[in-house]
Amino acid sequence: MKNIFLILCLGFICCNNAKVETSTKDYKSNNSEALEYCKKNGFNEEYYFLLDLSIHPGKNRFFVYDFKENKISDKNLVTHGSCDQFEENLDKWEKAKFSNKTDSHCSMKGKYKIGKRDYSSWGINVKYWLHGLEKTNENAVKRVVVLHSWNAVSNEEIYPKVSPLSWGCPAVSDAFMRKLDAKLKQTKKPVLLWIIE
């Protein structure tokens, strides 16, 4: 009888603790490099956006990093590009591929300057132009890869499901875009967005 009671208690404890938090990656070196870049190039030194596309597309991987507080102040889901125009991409739902090639529908790694606020036909009808600052993303404007929202993107983690694929744009939920838009409208200096893997 004691053994049955013990098994029931253990089962109850295990079921109540079924949600296990995954450990957050250490982005200290990225954050330090980002701050130095912002100081050197006249960018906003209060915060920047870090998108880690190595994380599963059903988990939060768009991070707003606060330089002054030295912590992630907000996070949410973000899409990656389907990258399916010029070659087969059998793992496109699981892992992002990258290409700077025009019409590739791929995401592009590297640092971006968030540019002009403009009208979008997607989501909350707001987009921000992204200017690629490296060889890996120099075609961002030409490809019209912009930061925008899309109502198909959830505002909370959906793992093990995955977010929909874009044509290379980092698209976020409508609710998250409203938060980002409010921050960006108050910023006088350009903001850094950095896509990593």
Side-chain angles (χ1 to χ4, degrees):
M1 188 67 176
K2 284 182 182 178
N3 287 344
I4 293 171
F5 180 72
L6 182 62
I7 290 168
L8 287 172
C9 286
L10 284 173
F12 180 75
I13 290 167
C14 291
C15 289
N16 281 336
N17 292 323
K19 187 177 179 184
V20 178
E21 292 296 324
T22 52
S23 59
T24 307
K25 279 183 165 182
D26 183 2
Y27 297 112
K28 281 182 189 169
S29 62
N30 299 95
N31 299 334
S32 296
E33 184 180 332
L35 181 57
E36 285 307 309
Y37 188 92
C38 290
K39 286 178 177 177
K40 186 178 176 183
N41 295 282
F43 278 56
N44 181 290
E45 295 174 34
E46 293 176 15
Y47 66 90
Y48 85 110
F49 301 152
L50 180 67
L51 285 59
D52 183 352
L53 298 192
S54 71
I55 296 173
H56 187 279
K59 293 186 173 184
N60 292 330
R61 55 194 195 153
F62 187 122
F63 304 106
V64 179
Y65 186 81
D66 188 313
F67 288 127
K68 294 189 189 307
E69 296 290 325
N70 197 27
K71 68 176 186 180
I72 293 169
S73 61
D74 209 346
K75 58 188 174 180
N76 216 290
L77 299 177
V78 64
T79 62
H80 66 253
S82 58
C83 205
D84 57 2
Q85 286 300 94
F86 301 110
E87 61 178 288
E88 283 197 29
N89 187 6
L90 301 176
D91 299 323
K92 62 187 175 183
W93 291 103
E94 299 302 323
K95 183 164 173 25
K97 281 188 165 187
F98 300 92
S99 174
N100 190 38
K101 192 174 179 181
T102 305
D103 297 324
S104 66
H105 299 171
C106 291
S107 296
M108 295 176 286
K109 284 190 273 191
K111 296 180 181 75
Y112 296 81
K113 179 179 84 169
I114 298 179
K116 181 184 170 190
R117 183 180 190 269
D118 212 340
Y119 174 83
S120 171
S121 55
W122 296 86
I124 65 166
N125 303 126
V126 172
K127 71 182 175 193
Y128 284 86
W129 288 92
L130 296 176
H131 302 271
L133 302 170
E134 301 180 84
K135 284 282 183 191
T136 55
N137 61 9
E138 63 189 1
N139 288 327
V141 172
K142 187 178 180 182
R143 287 183 53 192
V144 195
V145 170
V146 296
L147 174 61
H148 68 87
S149 70
W150 182 13
N151 60 11
V153 181
S154 175
N155 195 46
E156 56 188 34
E157 291 188 330
I158 55 172
Y159 178 85
K161 293 180 181 177
V162 293
S163 294
L165 296 168
S166 70
W167 277 11
C169 294
V172 298
S173 72
D174 290 348
F176 193 57
M177 188 65 194
R178 285 188 186 93
K179 287 186 184 180
L180 298 180
D181 187 38
K183 282 182 82 68
L184 290 168
K185 283 195 294 187
Q186 293 175 3
T187 305
K188 291 186 169 55
K189 291 182 177 181
V191 172
L192 176 68
L193 182 147
W194 190 4
I195 295 178
I196 64 169
E197 178 187 31

